[in-house]
Amino acid sequence: MISELSKGHNLLKYIIEHSNGGVAVHDKDLNYIYVSRHYLEQYKVQDKNVIGKHHYDVFPDLPQKWRDVHKRALKGEILSNDCDPYQRADGSIEWTRWECRPWYETDGTIGGIVVYTEIITKQKNEKDELEKRLKELSAIYALSQNIQRSITLDILSNELARSLESILNYDYFAFLLIDENTGKMYPFTLSDQGKGHEFLKKDMDYVASCQPAVGKGITGWVAINGKSLKIDDVTKDERYFGLRNGIKSELCVPLKIDDKVIGVINVETTKPAAYNEYDINLLETLSASIAISIRNTELFESNQKEITLRKKTEEELRLKIKELEDFFKLTVGRELKMIELKTEINELLKQLGKKEKYEV
């Protein structure tokens, strides 16, 4: 009998120890009875010889919420969580999926608890990244639709500032266009930093007063070279020309129409190394759509001005023709009156036996 029990114990120990999942079996005093290697590895337990040791001696910094779960399970509850944060001793956060349930003696009393656990930090990060990308793609699609409907440059600039804020991680955003005559760059639109329209107007004046120009600073380098720049620490880049305090990271891409740089899109943040290659591709894709929209908007405004000018010219022509017609009517009327008077005079002279004075 003892041999059979020993054999069963060893078999269960072997099965659990080599399980692909994180499994720990505790007695009612929370001492380890069985534990899987995977459990010890994923929780980075240095001393693998934990059998017989109390769970809180192995994990002395275990949060109170886990201790409360153990107490409830020892009273018969089955508890679980599909995505629960776990803070390690070094302060890093892991995400776990777990279940804690009681196990029972042959007489039906609770003998301890079983903990099934898995670290899902990688899956959680991948899911978060996918959701982030989905949100970005949705925002990009919405931006593309909105900028295509922007029929004036003012509407377009407002739409850009509003939409890009939901896509990119930035503290400051600037969209600068190049003045071909002077080589200077002027702010087409900026982020209002959550401070409203009046602040934005003053900030536009401030940026313009700093005289950004082709070849000056990061934005000027991108403008003259037509290549994107991602700077992880601007304080270490000699090209940086700062307009804001505390900036660490900067991402700037050129705005091109038919390979001609017409401006730049620039984002900055106080966080170091905030941007990656994906962000560059994202902003470059957006800049292509924005450039097309600017060209279409400028063409639309140009056509509108042409239409307005033509309508104005047509109206002026109509008024001049009317004026001429009125003058002609007046002149013809005078001529007819003169003929009538001359005829009457001639008739009177004839009655007097005199010679007619006027040829009619």
Side-chain angles (χ1 to χ4, degrees):
M1 182 68 177
I2 295 176
S3 176
E4 289 297 318
L5 289 174
S6 177
K7 181 179 178 181
H9 171 78
N10 290 335
L11 177 61
L12 185 58
K13 177 177 180 294
Y14 180 85
I15 292 172
I16 292 177
E17 185 176 324
H18 295 280
S19 169
N20 288 329
V23 184
V25 181
H26 305 270
D27 62 21
K28 60 185 177 182
D29 295 321
L30 294 182
N31 297 313
Y32 282 89
I33 302 175
Y34 305 104
V35 66
S36 68
R37 291 178 180 177
H38 186 69
Y39 176 95
L40 298 174
E41 289 170 358
Q42 69 178 349
Y43 285 105
K44 300 180 181 179
V45 177
Q46 298 299 319
D47 183 4
K48 301 295 191 285
N49 185 25
V50 299
I51 302 302
K53 293 183 179 179
H54 195 279
H55 184 46
Y56 300 159
D57 290 335
V58 177
F59 294 96
D61 298 324
L62 197 69
Q64 185 61 43
K65 70 172 184 178
W66 288 90
R67 297 171 190 257
D68 294 339
V69 166
H70 299 152
K71 289 179 183 179
R72 292 169 63 183
L74 285 170
K75 292 180 181 180
E77 285 189 64
I78 298 174
L79 303 105
S80 64
N81 195 313
D82 287 332
C83 192
D84 196 27
Y86 166 68
Q87 186 171 1
R88 293 190 182 277
D90 62 2
S92 62
I93 301 294
E94 297 280 13
W95 292 87
T96 63
R97 179 188 296 123
W98 57 266
E99 179 182 283
C100 185
R101 61 170 58 233
W103 63 268
Y104 295 88
E105 302 281 6
T106 54
D107 62 1
T109 59
I110 294 175
I113 59 172
V114 184
V115 177
Y116 303 95
T117 182
E118 178 186 5
I119 290 182
I120 58 168
T121 303
K122 182 179 178 182
Q123 297 94 313
K124 174 73 165 55
N125 290 341
E126 288 174 350
K127 180 183 177 184
D128 289 347
E129 189 68 16
L130 284 173
E131 290 178 349
K132 177 185 176 184
R133 298 306 180 217
L134 179 60
K135 180 182 177 182
E136 289 174 347
L137 289 173
S138 298
I140 291 170
Y141 176 77
L143 173 58
S144 298
Q145 295 296 306
N146 290 337
I147 63 177
Q148 287 177 23
R149 291 192 292 265
S150 300
I151 58 175
T152 69
L153 291 175
D154 284 341
I155 294 175
L156 176 60
S157 66
N158 292 333
E159 186 59 41
L160 286 175
R162 186 187 66 79
S163 299
L164 287 179
E165 188 172 3
S166 65
I167 301 173
L168 296 170
N169 174 30
Y170 66 78
D171 293 311
Y172 304 102
F173 160 77
F175 188 163
L176 306 175
L177 292 179
I178 299 171
D179 184 333
E180 293 183 357
N181 296 322
T182 64
K184 293 182 179 180
M185 295 192 290
Y186 63 93
F188 178 61
T189 186
L190 305 172
S191 57
D192 66 3
Q193 303 168 43
K195 299 177 182 178
H197 183 66
E198 288 302 316
F199 170 84
L200 179 59
K201 288 171 59 179
K202 293 178 181 178
D203 200 42
M204 294 273 280
D205 292 338
Y206 163 70
V207 172
S209 71
C210 294
Q211 298 184 336
V214 174
K216 180 180 179 181
I218 300 296
T219 55
W221 188 94
V222 171
I224 200 170
N225 290 280
K227 298 179 181 179
S228 300
L229 270 184
K230 177 181 73 71
I231 311 296
D232 292 335
D233 187 351
V234 296
T235 62
K236 297 179 181 179
D237 196 303
E238 61 183 11
R239 294 168 295 189
Y240 181 66
F241 174 71
L243 303 184
R244 316 289 187 183
N245 296 324
I247 295 298
K248 288 293 185 182
S249 302
E250 183 171 0
L251 174 59
C252 187
V253 303
L255 191 68
K256 297 180 179 180
I257 294 180
D258 298 330
D259 292 328
K260 178 183 179 181
V261 179
I262 65 166
V264 299
I265 300 176
N266 190 68
V267 291
E268 300 175 336
T269 179
T270 54
K271 301 172 185 175
Y275 305 111
N276 53 38
E277 292 301 317
Y278 177 86
D279 295 318
I280 294 177
N281 294 333
L282 174 65
L283 201 54
E284 287 178 342
T285 301
L286 286 173
S287 72
S289 297
I290 292 166
I292 293 172
S293 181
I294 286 178
R295 178 166 60 182
N296 292 341
T297 302
E298 287 180 335
L299 287 174
F300 178 84
E301 288 194 337
S302 176
N303 288 338
Q304 288 296 106
K305 289 178 181 178
E306 184 177 337
I307 290 171
T308 301
L309 179 60
R310 182 168 181 171
K311 286 182 176 179
K312 181 181 179 182
T313 303
E314 288 175 348
E315 178 64 15
E316 289 178 352
L317 179 60
R318 186 187 67 79
L319 292 173
K320 291 296 182 182
I321 291 173
K322 186 177 184 304
E323 184 179 345
L324 180 61
E325 288 175 345
D326 291 343
F327 178 76
F328 179 75
K329 288 178 182 178
L330 180 62
T331 303
V332 170
R334 286 177 177 175
E335 288 294 327
L336 291 174
K337 186 66 175 176
M338 288 293 292
I339 292 172
E340 182 182 343
L341 289 172
K342 288 178 179 180
T343 302
E344 291 177 355
I345 291 171
N346 286 339
E347 185 63 31
L348 290 172
L349 289 171
K350 185 178 179 182
Q351 291 176 10
L352 294 172
K354 294 182 179 182
K355 184 180 178 181
E356 294 182 355
K357 186 175 182 179
Y358 300 106
E359 292 184 4
V360 179

